[in-house]
């Protein structure tokens, strides 16, 4: 009688390996003998495989029960929680509160405007009455003097000397009109930090990223390199080999101007400054000198530039060589610049904290260029 066939692995013509037995009842390739199929594995192996199937069925049953419970219990409860969520009511309540505060601020400011208009108008009326009366006195005195000169003889003039002296003394007490701030509308009376912050935030968010500003490579200092998209300036202590003789290029200070200027309206842009510990950014007139180490071409040290400046941990607003410290708890990662040419204001803003860093009022008399300087690493116009 011939010997019983030996089970073999379909992969390698050898007895079945443990992985093969664990995958399926027939291993990886089935059990084959010498030219014919052989019975299944031994009773022990079959029992182990059967137990694995039972375990698998139990896990599937538990998994199905968990999914069914999630669908039947968890999702409906979450749906109900979403429907009764306080988020909608919270948003409504907060917007109502903000609206109420804005309404109150509007009412207060309009009352202040009305009161200031009335004060200024009253000052103008008072002065008009005063100077009208003065004109009448001067006209009457002139008429009197002409009459005296015309109609009195020498003796008459001598006799009228005292009267003439008294009348002319009154005229000498009438001074010439002087410029008075009381005749102007006082903008300080209607300033509102709340409105200022909201206005700045709205302008910067309604002009996303920035105006379409690019840096004019013809103005870029040899100490700076300009990225291909004309948005990033990177500082280098060594001067690059550029045409420093170009009339538009800054040849000493690490400055650069935008390619276009603004003549009227409201404009805003943002600059990423988180990489730099030494930079300036703001606006300037196109007449700003470009050559030499003097203050004429140094941003913030002349009458033609207005900049927010950082040097290490020191923050300042610079204009006409008169620095004004800016106290900050932390260095801004981004600085927004807002220019209102019609309103005569340049404002520097931290978009992350909605904080006005500094605001300056100026009656601008020429178009303004966005201006930049960097003396450490790089700064970039935000997209």
């Amino acid at each position: 009688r011939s010997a019983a066939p030996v089970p073999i692995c379909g992969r390698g013509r050898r007895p079945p390996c443990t992985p093969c037995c664990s995958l399926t009842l027939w291993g990886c390739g089935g059990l084959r003998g010498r030219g014919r199929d052989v019975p299944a594995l031994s009773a022990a192996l079959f029992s182990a495989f059967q137990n694995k199937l039972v375990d698998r069925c139990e896990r599937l049953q538990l998994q199905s029960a968990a999914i069914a419970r999630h669908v039947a219990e968890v999702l409906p409860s979450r749906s109900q929680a979403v429907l009764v969520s306080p988020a909608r009511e919270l948003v409504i309540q907060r917007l109502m509160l903000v609206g109420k505060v804005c309404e109150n601020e509007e009412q207060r400011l309009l009352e202040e405007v009305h009161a200031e208009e009335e004060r200024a108008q009253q000052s103008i009326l008072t002065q008009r009455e005063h100077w009208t009366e003065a004109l009448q006195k001067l006209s009457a005195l002139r008429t009197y003097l002409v009459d005296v000169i015309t109609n009195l003889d020498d003796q008459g003039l001598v006799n009228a000397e005292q009267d003439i002296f008294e009348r002319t003394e009154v005229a000498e007490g009438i001074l010439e009109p002087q410029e008075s701030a009381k005749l102007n509308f006082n903008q300080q009376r209607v300033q509102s930090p709340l409105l200022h912050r909201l206005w700045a935030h709205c302008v910067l968010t309604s002009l996303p990223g920035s105006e379409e500003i690019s840096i004019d490579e013809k103005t870029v200092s040899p100490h700076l390199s300009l990225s291909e998209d004309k948005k990033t300036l990177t500082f280098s202590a060594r001067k690059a080999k550029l045409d420093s003789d170009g009339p538009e290029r800054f040849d000493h200070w690490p400055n650069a101007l935008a390619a276009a200027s603004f003549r009227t309206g409201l404009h805003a842009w943002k600059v990423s400054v988180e990489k730099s510990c030494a930079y300036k950014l703001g606006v300037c007139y196109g007449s700003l000198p470009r050559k030499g180490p003097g203050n004429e071409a140094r941003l913030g040290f002349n009458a033609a530039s207005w900049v927010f400046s950082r040097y290490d941990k020191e923050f300042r607003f610079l204009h006409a060589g008169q620095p004004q410290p800016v106290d900050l708890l932390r260095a801004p990662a981004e600085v927004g610049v807002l220019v209102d040419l019609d309103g005569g204001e340049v404002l520097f803003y931290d978009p992350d904290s909605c904080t006005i860093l500094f605001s300056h009022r100026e009656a601008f008399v020429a178009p303004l260029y966005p201006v930049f300087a960097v003396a450490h690493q790089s700064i970039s116009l935000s997209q």
Side-chain angles (χ1 to χ4, degrees), residues 24-66:
T24 176
L25 181 62
W26 295 103
C28 61
L31 297 179
R32 301 180 185 276
R34 292 189 180 95
R36 66 180 183 274
D37 293 336
V38 297
L41 300 178
S42 65
L45 290 176
F46 184 82
S47 177
F49 177 74
Q50 193 174 37
N51 290 338
K52 288 183 178 181
L53 289 180
V54 172
D55 291 342
R56 181 59 176 165
C57 287
E58 289 178 349
R59 289 197 299 272
L60 290 174
Q61 184 177 3
L62 293 174
Q63 186 178 9
S64 298

Side-chain angles (χ1 to χ4, degrees), residues 172-244:
E172 289 174 357
I174 300 175
L175 303 177
E176 292 187 2
Q178 301 292 325
E179 181 62 34
S180 173
K182 293 180 180 180
L183 302 179
N184 301 325
F185 186 94
N186 184 6
Q187 289 286 348
Q188 296 301 319
R189 287 286 304 276
V190 294
Q191 292 302 306
S192 167
L194 172 63
L195 178 60
H196 214 187
R197 287 195 297 270
L198 288 174
W199 172 74
H201 184 71
C202 290
V203 171
L204 287 169
T205 54
S206 64
L207 299 174
S210 290
E211 297 265 357
E212 285 301 319
I213 294 175
S214 60
I215 297 171
D216 185 356
E217 61 182 334
K218 296 189 299 295
T219 69
V220 175
S221 162
H223 283 291
L224 303 177
S225 60
L226 180 62
S227 61
E228 291 186 4
D229 63 0
K230 299 185 181 352
K231 300 288 186 182
T232 300
L233 291 168
T234 303
F235 176 75
S236 173
R238 299 182 62 181
K239 285 188 175 183
K241 294 181 180 179
L242 298 173
D243 178 17
S244 299

